[in-house]
Amino acid sequence: HDYLTKGSLKRLGAAIERELKDAGVRREHRIAIDKIQHLNRVLRAIRNVNQLIVTEKDRERLLERATEMLVETRGYMSALCVHLDDNQQPDIVARSLAKEIDTKPSREAIRTHGLTACMKRALDSDEVVEIRRDAPECGGCPLASTCPDTPRLARGLAHDGKAHGLLVIALPEGVGTDAEEIDLLEEMAGDIAFALHGIESDRLHKESLERFRVIT
């Protein structure tokens, strides 16, 4: 971006200093552009999930399709939704990955062995929990080999005091876990939890009507 004439190197120090500064500005600009593109992908995924929530009233289909939507836009590298039964054990496990990897073994591992340590930590928290692969609790985890190297965020799916499950997403490479990421996950988890609560309420209402019909 500059040149110096032979035998005249007086500007060398200033030229190098200016070029380093300009390179930093260009790097920050690229990072900002990448961040905007990532957030747009996530927002498209949230919009798609919200449209799904309006029409889908089957829990398993809702969670399966929601995880697919979260990775379809490349907003996230992976998405995992776990629904808990009345005994707080996983009965529905939906997982989608951006890469072509079979998710059946990991889903079966959760159904067989229950929630992992990081999932339990997220379920017990009222906030978004960051999960890193090098955490001590990951030792011996049956899912460790299938977890992305990028940071993951987890949030419990709770509504009106009832825990319905949890949501875990993996961020793309180079994306940090800042306030915007956490807010978007909070919003998405809240929407999915509200949908699960509505489906559960409808089920209980129908069962109540059926018992009343049998009694009368």
Side-chain angles (χ1 to χ4, degrees):
H1 296 278
D2 200 352
Y3 70 94
L4 301 171
T5 59
K6 185 177 181 180
S8 179
L9 302 179
K10 293 181 180 180
R11 293 193 307 109
L12 178 59
I16 293 175
E17 184 177 346
R18 187 184 66 251
E19 179 55 29
L20 289 173
K21 181 179 180 180
D22 291 347
V25 171
R26 291 193 295 271
R27 183 173 60 253
E28 291 176 1
H29 179 71
R30 288 195 301 271
I31 292 173
I33 293 297
D34 291 343
K35 179 67 173 180
I36 291 172
Q37 292 175 341
H38 163 69
L39 291 176
N40 284 336
R41 295 186 186 106
V42 173
L43 289 172
R44 287 201 303 272
I46 292 176
R47 178 200 62 192
N48 294 341
V49 170
N50 284 336
Q51 291 174 347
L52 173 71
I53 286 171
V54 174
T55 58
E56 185 56 74
K57 301 305 177 184
D58 179 86
R59 282 183 303 198
E60 187 165 2
R61 288 197 299 267
L62 171 67
L63 296 183
E64 288 283 357
R65 190 68 187 111
T67 58
E68 293 171 1
M69 288 177 170
L70 294 179
V71 301
E72 279 176 353
T73 63
R74 299 291 173 171
Y76 299 122
M77 299 305 295
S78 73
L80 169 71
C81 276
V82 179
H83 181 269
L84 303 175
D85 61 20
D86 292 336
N87 296 317
Q88 295 295 285
Q89 296 300 314
D91 61 350
I92 300 175
V93 182
R95 192 183 192 200
S96 294
L97 300 173
K99 297 181 180 180
E100 294 297 327
I101 300 176
D102 185 11
T103 63
K104 184 177 179 180
S106 59
R107 289 184 281 120
E108 289 299 326
I110 295 173
R111 292 191 184 97
T112 303
H113 303 288
L115 300 178
T116 62
C118 60
M119 292 178 186
K120 292 177 181 178
R121 180 159 59 90
L123 198 62
D124 293 337
S125 176
D126 292 329
E127 301 177 347
V128 171
V129 171
E130 183 175 356
I131 303 170
R132 291 195 174 273
R133 196 172 179 177
D134 57 356
E137 62 191 12
C138 292
C141 175
L143 302 183
S145 61
T146 63
C147 290
D149 294 327
T150 57
R152 285 164 291 146
L153 297 175
R155 184 66 169 97
L157 300 175
H159 184 80
D160 199 23
K162 177 178 175 58
H164 294 278
L166 73 151
L167 170 65
V168 184
I169 56 92
L171 297 171
E173 186 175 356
V175 175
T177 55
D178 57 20
E180 287 177 308
E181 291 293 340
I182 292 174
D183 288 344
L184 287 173
L185 185 60
E186 286 278 10
E187 177 183 347
M188 191 156 32
D191 292 342
I192 295 175
F194 179 77
L196 292 173
H197 177 78
I199 293 172
E200 178 70 7
S201 297
D202 289 344
R203 181 183 68 84
L204 294 176
H205 180 66
K206 290 177 181 178
E207 290 179 355
S208 177
L209 290 178
E210 180 61 21
R211 286 196 297 270
F212 179 76
R213 186 189 66 80
V214 172
I215 293 173
T216 57

